[in-house]
């Protein structure tokens, strides 16, 4: 049952109340700063769900045990949409009770936090961005992945992140604009073999102003210093100069040159070198755009692509990118393709304001019960620097009675730093398992409105993970079917059946299967 009570409170000029689950002090200070005083909507809630699973711990079939699980989830949501403060934060605790003795591989509780805020502290000068998260993340690319249920802890650990970023922004008349940003962030995990880390970064961005109508320019430079509890300090320096030539109102050509340096123990290759690229931006209409580049970086050829098309009822998106990254960096970034992000693009014309659009998408997902779909879970626990190449495509369709979302993903990750950094995360018998990984997957979610009060939802997902070094492969699949019913304005119920299967976290291990059925009630004020 979801009980939701909403009230509006005026944030005081001084003093900072404690947010649930301890968001970073810097984010709290920003929220309650005198210049950022804003109206905040507070929405507490509680959810109740009953589930029967024939394999609660997602183990091999011969060891599977079935149980009834009762889940209680109190939560609170904070929202604000004012010129001074844009805020969206959700904090929840999930408590699990089992019909029998709790078996190994299950949780008694789990936590969830997703917070994002932007503040205008001093007009046209000082701003602040901040976010924080607590979520269950996959330990290995092989084995059960997060998202299907919360009561199993098979192949998952809790990861906590926060990021605080004040920045200065100034316009130099019509000639140029500049931004200087400082960022401090942290990533921690319940897994001792994944190093807790903090980062300090500074970035400078200069770009041409309206005076440069035909030829535009830009310059970016950044330095990041990373401190990891399991390894030595590392540093990343990047600098890039961009030029852009406007050929027509729809077409621009662009070129860039720069230098990258990654100060970490490389494994048989360069970790620094020049970068260069050429490309174009084509925007034939407000609904269609293509941005593509081809170039060279210290690790070899480099490409990028972002193609987007929107119609009244559809959105199409294709992206490709490559670059050096880390697991901690990916944990600090939002998932690139989700049900939410695809629906956001469909709602752009109706809700131009980002915060209003976010609230509208959330309301639509609540009303329809549309399953949460996101791309292949490429991010797993690793302490190594990685070369990641990712191709993603998505299609979203929305009609008067139905909607559907299809997502396709392909990712290759090549480790650049030594294996010893992950010695505690990998089996001694498979030290090279994560050296070169390829992950391919597809997810589909659809909803159909049976009546003004009832919807039927279906989702299907399948992924394949391959270690190019060892030849091991792992497959995971998930299917679900749900019926939602709006009994009254404030009361909604759902019944869901779910099936998932795949290979164990250890390549070559036994297969597991789970069949589950659940029922829930929701009440909102």
């Amino acid at each position: 049952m979801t009980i939701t009570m909403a009230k509006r409170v005026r944030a005081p000029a001084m003093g900072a109340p404690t947010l649930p689950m301890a968001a970073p002090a810097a984010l709290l200070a920003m929220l309650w700063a005198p210049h950022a005083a804003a109206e905040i909507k507070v929405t507490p809630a509680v959810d109740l769900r009953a589930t029967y699973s024939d394999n609660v711990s997602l183990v091999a079939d011969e060891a599977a045990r079935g149980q009834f699980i009762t889940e209680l989830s109190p939560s609170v949501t904070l929202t604000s949409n004012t010129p001074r403060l844009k805020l969206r934060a959700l904090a929840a605790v999930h408590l699990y009770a089992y019909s029998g003795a709790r078996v190994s591989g299950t949780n008694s509780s789990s936590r969830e936090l997703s917070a994002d805020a932007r503040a205008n502290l001093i007009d046209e000068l000082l701003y602040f961005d901040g976010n924080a998260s607590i979520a269950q993340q996959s330990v290995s690319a092989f084995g059960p992945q997060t998202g299907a249920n919360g009561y199993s802890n098979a192949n998952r650990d809790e990861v906590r992140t926060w990021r605080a970023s004040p920045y200065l922004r100034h316009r130099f008349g019509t000639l140029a604009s500049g931004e200087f940003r400082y960022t401090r962030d942290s990533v921690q995990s319940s897994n001792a073999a994944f190093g807790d880390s903090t980062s300090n970064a500074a970035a400078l961005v200069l770009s041409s102003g309206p005076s440069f109508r035909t030829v535009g320019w830009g310059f970016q430079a950044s330095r990041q210093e990373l401190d990891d509890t399991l390894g030595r300090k590392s540093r990343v320096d990047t600098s890039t100069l961009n030029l852009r030539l406007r050929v027509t109102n729809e077409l621009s050509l662009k070129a860039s040159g720069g230098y990258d340096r990654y100060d970490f123990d490389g494994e048989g290759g360069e970790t620094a070198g020049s970068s260069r690229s050429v490309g174009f931006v084509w925007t034939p209409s407000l609904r269609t755009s293509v941005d593509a580049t081809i170039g060279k970086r210290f690790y070899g050829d480099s490409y990028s692509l972002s193609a987007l098309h929107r119609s009244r009822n559809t959105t199409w998106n294709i992206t490709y990118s490559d670059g050096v990254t880390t697991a901690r960096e990916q944990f600090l970034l939002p998932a690139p393709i989700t049900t939410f992000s695809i629906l956001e693009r469909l709602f752009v014309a109706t809700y131009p304001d980002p915060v209003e659009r976010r609230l509208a998408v959330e309301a639509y997902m609540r009303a329809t019960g549309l399953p949460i779909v996101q791309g292949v879970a490429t991010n797993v626990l690793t302490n190594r620097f990685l070369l990641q190449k990712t191709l993603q495509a998505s299609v979203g369709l929305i009609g008067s009675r139905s909607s559907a979302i299809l997502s396709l993903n392909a990712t290759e990750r090549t480790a650049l730093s030594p294996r010893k950094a992950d010695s505690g995360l990998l089996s001694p018998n498979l030290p090279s398992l994560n050296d070169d990984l390829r992950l391919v997957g597809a997810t589909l979610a659809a909803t159909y409105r049976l009546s003004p009060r009832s919807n039927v939802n279906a989702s299907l997902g399948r992924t394949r993970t391959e270690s190019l070094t060892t030849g091991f492969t792992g497959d995971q699949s998930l299917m679900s079917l749900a019926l939602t019913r709006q009994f009254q304005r404030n009361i909604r119920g759902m019944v869901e059946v779910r099936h998932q299967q795949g290979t164990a976290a250890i390549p070559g291990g036994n297969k597991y299967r789970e069949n589950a059925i659940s029922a829930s009630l929701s009440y909102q004020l």
Side-chain angles (χ1 to χ4, degrees):
M1 178 177 294
T2 301
I3 302 174
T4 304
M5 297 174 293
K7 63 179 180 178
R8 297 182 181 273
V9 296
R10 178 75 55 179
M14 299 296 292
T18 302
L19 285 179
M21 305 168 79
L27 181 56
L28 289 176
M30 179 275 293
L31 291 177
W32 303 101
H35 294 289
E39 190 176 73
I40 298 176
K41 182 180 179 181
V42 181
T43 309
V46 59
D47 296 324
L48 181 64
R49 177 186 295 264
T51 302
Y52 175 77
S53 168
D54 64 359
N55 187 359
V56 292
S57 53
L58 301 183
V59 294
D61 293 344
E62 57 271 16
R65 290 185 56 183
Q67 282 196 0
F68 287 93
I69 307 103
T70 302
E71 178 183 349
L72 179 67
S73 303
S75 65
V76 63
T77 301
L78 306 178
T79 56
S80 177
N81 183 24
T82 69
R84 288 292 186 186
L85 178 64
K86 309 292 185 181
L87 168 68
R88 179 68 172 85
L90 168 67
V93 178
H94 304 274
L95 307 172
Y96 307 101
Y98 301 86
S99 57
R102 187 165 69 90
V103 300
S104 175
T106 57
N107 291 318
S108 60
S109 65
S110 62
R111 303 184 296 174
E112 178 186 356
L113 174 66
S114 175
D116 184 80
R118 292 173 291 143
N120 179 359
L121 302 180
I122 302 177
D123 288 339
E124 298 185 359
L125 180 62
L126 180 60
Y127 303 85
F128 190 101
D129 291 344
N131 56 58
S133 69
I134 299 177
Q136 299 291 310
Q137 301 288 354
S138 300
V139 177
S140 169
F142 299 89
Q145 300 299 302
T146 59
N149 66 60
Y151 47 80
S152 172
N153 61 21
N155 189 43
R156 65 186 69 172
D157 282 306
E158 182 183 88
V159 174
R160 304 173 297 277
T161 73
W162 62 262
R163 172 181 169 273
S165 181
Y167 59 100
L168 297 169
R169 181 179 290 169
H170 183 68
R171 293 182 181 178
F172 302 94
T174 61
L175 294 178
S177 62
E179 178 181 299
F180 180 77
R181 179 185 293 266
Y182 168 77
T183 303
R184 182 171 176 83
D185 58 53
S186 171
V187 177
Q188 297 178 315
S189 169
S190 58
N191 191 322
F194 180 67
D196 295 344
S197 59
T198 57
S199 167
N200 293 280
L204 174 66
V205 178
L206 297 174
S207 56
S208 57
S211 295
F212 296 85
R213 297 180 57 86
T214 303
V215 178
W217 56 268
F219 175 76
Q220 301 90 35
S222 67
R223 168 171 291 185
Q224 180 191 44
E225 295 182 347
L226 178 62
D227 191 1
D228 191 323
T229 57
L230 296 182
R232 71 182 184 89
K233 293 183 179 181
S234 58
R235 195 178 79 187
V236 178
D237 295 306
T238 64
S239 58
T240 306
L241 177 63
N242 306 299
L243 294 175
R244 182 164 174 162
L245 174 64
R246 183 179 180 183
V247 180
T248 67
N249 290 335
E250 295 81 23
L251 179 65
S252 295
L253 304 179
K254 61 181 183 176
S256 70
Y259 192 84
D260 304 325
R261 178 181 294 277
Y262 292 81
D263 180 20
F264 62 89
D265 292 330
E267 194 163 65
E270 292 291 333
T271 58
S274 61
S275 63
R276 54 194 181 276
S277 70
V278 294
F280 67 91
V281 178
W282 181 50
T283 311
S285 70
L286 294 176
R287 296 177 178 268
T288 304
S289 64
V290 179
D291 188 334
T293 65
I294 179 173
K296 288 276 190 180
R297 297 184 65 181
F298 70 87
Y299 52 76
D301 294 337
S302 178
Y303 308 91
S304 73
L305 171 66
S306 177
L308 175 65
H309 175 70
R310 288 188 296 110
S311 67
R312 179 179 179 84
N313 298 315
T314 66
T315 177
W316 307 75
N317 187 34
I318 301 177
T319 63
Y320 174 84
S321 63
D322 56 53
V324 178
T325 187
T326 59
R328 74 174 310 276
E329 180 180 356
Q330 296 299 310
F331 286 137
L332 288 162
L333 297 174
I337 293 182
T338 64
T339 302
F340 186 90
S341 65
I342 296 171
L343 287 175
E344 257 203 322
R345 290 193 288 271
L346 287 169
F347 280 54
V348 164
T350 308
Y351 300 94
D353 181 81
V355 175
E356 290 183 358
R357 184 165 63 248
R358 183 184 186 101
L359 295 175
V361 172
E362 289 175 346
Y364 178 83
M365 293 179 66
R366 271 196 314 271
T368 61
L370 188 66
I372 296 175
V373 171
Q374 64 183 47
V376 179
T378 59
N379 200 32
V380 296
L381 300 190
T382 176
N383 299 302
R384 306 168 77 177
F385 278 80
L386 308 162
L387 171 58
Q388 179 168 292
K389 302 177 181 180
T390 302
L391 175 65
Q392 298 177 316
S394 65
V395 180
L397 305 94
I398 188 167
S400 59
R401 298 178 66 94
S402 62
S403 60
I405 293 172
L406 174 65
S407 171
L408 306 173
N409 307 70
T411 297
E412 287 192 2
R413 306 182 77 171
T414 302
L416 300 178
S417 47
R419 297 173 185 169
K420 62 182 181 181
D422 280 349
S423 58
L425 294 169
L426 296 172
S427 167
N429 299 324
L430 295 169
S432 61
L433 180 65
N434 289 342
D435 284 3
D436 294 278
L437 291 178
R438 176 181 294 156
L439 304 98
V440 180
T443 54
L444 172 66
T447 183
Y448 181 78
R449 181 164 58 86
L450 299 173
S451 71
R453 292 179 176 269
S454 300
N455 293 274
V456 61
N457 307 309
S459 66
L460 174 65
R462 183 172 179 84
T463 65
R464 162 158 284 205
T465 304
E466 180 182 1
S467 171
L468 302 180
T469 306
T470 64
F472 285 122
T473 60
D475 297 295
Q476 314 291 329
S477 62
L478 172 66
M479 296 174 284
S480 69
L481 182 66
L483 176 66
T484 64
R485 173 73 176 176
Q486 195 79 33
F487 296 110
Q488 297 180 10
R489 184 178 65 87
N490 298 332
I491 302 175
R492 184 169 62 91
M494 183 179 71
V495 176
E496 180 188 46
V497 292
R498 182 181 70 244
H499 171 79
Q500 65 172 320
Q501 66 180 37
T503 52
I506 300 175
N510 295 326
K511 295 183 179 296
Y512 72 90
R513 289 179 294 180
E514 182 200 25
N515 299 289
I517 183 170
S518 64
S520 64
L521 284 175
S522 301
Y523 174 80
Q524 288 189 329
L525 188 62

